[in-house]
Amino acid sequence: SSGINAEYGVYKCDKPVTPEKFHGLVVDALDSFAQCRTSNTARGCVYSTSTHQLATHLYASIYSVYLADWLAAFPREQVHVIKFEDHIANQPESFIEICEFLEIEPFDKDQLSEYIESHKVRNSLNDNKRIPYMLPETVAMLEDFFAPFLRDLVTMLGDDKWGWGRPLEQNTGNTYQTEGYSVGDKER
């Protein structure tokens, strides 16, 4: 659910933010995606400029579509994917991993830690302006929507950690099926 909470925290709409307002925006976005899917592939809908005008950033979070395009252009061993939550949890180690992947000299861990600490972005919202909880029905809708894309991502990357830490088979009734595309399949 951390991916869902990240989605909730980053969207464009009038303030104040309420769980009900966000739920309405999600309903609108999912309806728009379903409408788009009547005449387009999932990839076509993800890249559609009309979906990017919506108040949510839902389509930017469908990583499997974007990753499939990168993997169609580059061999898997030339693509390094980092889970944002893992990067934030241990930035110095994450940067060292990136350096190793790029086969460049790693940064000094102490200097890197000091640099990261001095350049942290501080959350400027007061507690009374923070985004409140998300409605359970919103969470359920988003989990259902993202499930097939997360399954694709887990398959592409060969690691269950990309499935939001929950069994993806539990999702039922999803009307947002992907095409089950494979890397190199231009018909996605």
Side-chain angles (χ1 to χ4, degrees):
S1 287
S2 62
I4 291 175
N5 290 331
E7 174 60 32
Y8 188 35
V10 183
Y11 67 96
K12 301 175 273 188
C13 81
D14 297 329
K15 307 295 184 218
V17 178
T18 66
E20 294 78 14
K21 182 180 278 188
F22 183 71
H23 182 81
L25 294 170
V26 168
V27 168
D28 291 347
L30 296 182
D31 287 348
S32 175
F33 192 83
Q35 180 61 38
C36 181
R37 290 290 285 124
T38 63
S39 58
N40 296 287
T41 64
R43 182 179 183 273
C45 294
V46 167
Y47 279 106
S48 168
T49 56
S50 65
T51 60
H52 289 267
Q53 303 305 313
L54 295 170
T56 67
H57 294 278
L58 227 46
Y59 310 111
S61 299
I62 302 176
Y63 307 123
S64 60
V65 170
Y66 301 111
L67 182 61
D69 287 342
W70 282 102
L71 294 176
F74 299 99
R76 174 65 182 99
E77 63 273 5
Q78 290 183 0
V79 178
H80 186 69
V81 182
I82 301 168
K83 195 170 181 184
F84 179 72
E85 294 86 350
D86 295 345
H87 171 72
I88 292 303
N90 192 348
Q91 291 182 36
E93 194 60 41
S94 179
F95 282 114
I96 290 169
E97 276 183 33
I98 293 168
C99 290
E100 288 172 1
F101 175 76
L102 295 173
E103 299 177 352
I104 62 173
E105 190 68 33
F107 300 103
D108 175 81
K109 197 170 185 173
D110 291 334
Q111 287 179 330
L112 185 56
S113 294
E114 185 179 311
Y115 179 83
I116 291 168
E117 184 60 34
S118 69
H119 288 81
K120 275 187 178 176
V121 175
R122 308 287 183 218
N123 188 337
S124 61
L125 292 178
N126 297 326
D127 283 340
N128 64 348
K129 292 183 182 176
R130 291 186 190 280
I131 297 171
Y133 71 94
M134 192 182 324
L135 297 174
E137 55 267 34
T138 309
V139 172
M141 289 172 64
L142 289 171
E143 286 178 344
D144 190 48
F145 173 77
F146 281 112
F149 301 108
L150 293 171
R151 278 193 292 274
D152 288 346
L153 194 60
V154 165
T155 300
M156 284 182 212
L157 296 173
D159 191 336
D160 288 338
K161 80 174 186 178
W162 300 98
W164 287 353
R166 57 189 293 280
L168 297 174
E169 298 77 37
Q170 289 180 358
N171 297 285
T172 58
N174 192 320
T175 57
Y176 309 104
Q177 297 298 314
T178 65
E179 288 78 40
Y181 44 74
S182 60
V183 175
D185 177 4
K186 299 298 183 189
E187 296 300 312
R188 292 188 291 277

